[in-house]
Amino acid sequence: MITYKQNPQLDFQAVLDLYASVGWTGYSSHPEMLEKALEHSLLVLAAVDGDRLVGLLRAVGDGYSIIFIQDILVLPAYQRQEIGRNLLEQAISHFPGIYQLHLLTDNTEKTRSFYEALGFTAVDSLGCVAYTYLK
């Protein structure tokens, strides 16, 4: 049975394994950065199956006007079991008065369908554009 925990103490190796399992090597190859990022996140939600970390959501922002879902990931063997949906819904309900909630993700039909089903709108459909600066 999947349970959800808010700002839990996590086995950092399990976190690294989770990021690596979905190919997010930008994090898994820089463990010191990821560890600090988790420590300084506004909210971390974990999905666990027994004692196994199977999903994670990390939110950053000010907690009042804007939240950015920085990371949402689920072990491949556990995907399509509504874990990602549950993590995202819990994050949204955690910040009921928030003005803006943003995330940046890949542009696939599967991803668009997932987020649109949860009420998200692609910024391009609002006449907006998003920019990023990568080092």
Side-chain angles (χ1 to χ4, degrees):
M1 170 185 242
I2 306 299
T3 57
Y4 298 89
K5 299 178 180 182
Q6 182 177 315
N7 296 321
Q9 289 293 108
L10 295 169
D11 170 13
F12 190 63
Q13 186 58 54
V15 172
L16 286 174
D17 293 345
L18 176 60
Y19 278 81
S21 77
V22 295
W24 289 14
T25 57
Y27 287 110
S28 60
S29 63
H30 296 95
E32 313 81 27
M33 176 187 65
L34 177 58
E35 191 167 27
K36 289 294 183 190
L38 285 166
E39 288 173 14
H40 293 278
S41 295
L42 191 58
L43 175 68
V44 175
L45 295 172
V48 294
D49 184 5
D51 61 353
R52 184 177 187 192
L53 179 65
V54 299
L56 186 91
L57 179 144
R58 187 168 73 87
V60 298
D62 61 28
Y64 296 95
S65 67
I66 190 166
I67 297 297
F68 193 89
I69 303 299
Q70 180 60 38
D71 302 330
I72 180 170
L73 55 161
V74 177
L75 275 175
Y78 285 79
Q79 291 177 4
R80 307 204 54 85
Q81 296 179 32
E82 298 198 356
I83 295 168
R85 170 184 287 275
N86 289 331
L87 288 167
L88 199 50
E89 287 175 345
Q90 287 184 38
I92 291 167
S93 68
H94 186 78
F95 300 103
I98 204 74
Y99 176 67
Q100 296 178 55
L101 190 144
H102 296 279
L103 59 89
L104 182 66
T105 188
D106 58 338
N107 189 14
T108 64
E109 185 57 39
K110 172 184 157 186
T111 302
R112 279 184 173 266
S113 296
F114 174 75
Y115 288 109
E116 288 172 1
L118 290 166
F120 283 81
T121 303
V123 296
D124 61 347
S125 69
L126 299 172
C128 297
V129 64
Y131 293 94
T132 191
Y133 176 83
L134 299 174
K135 285 186 165 187

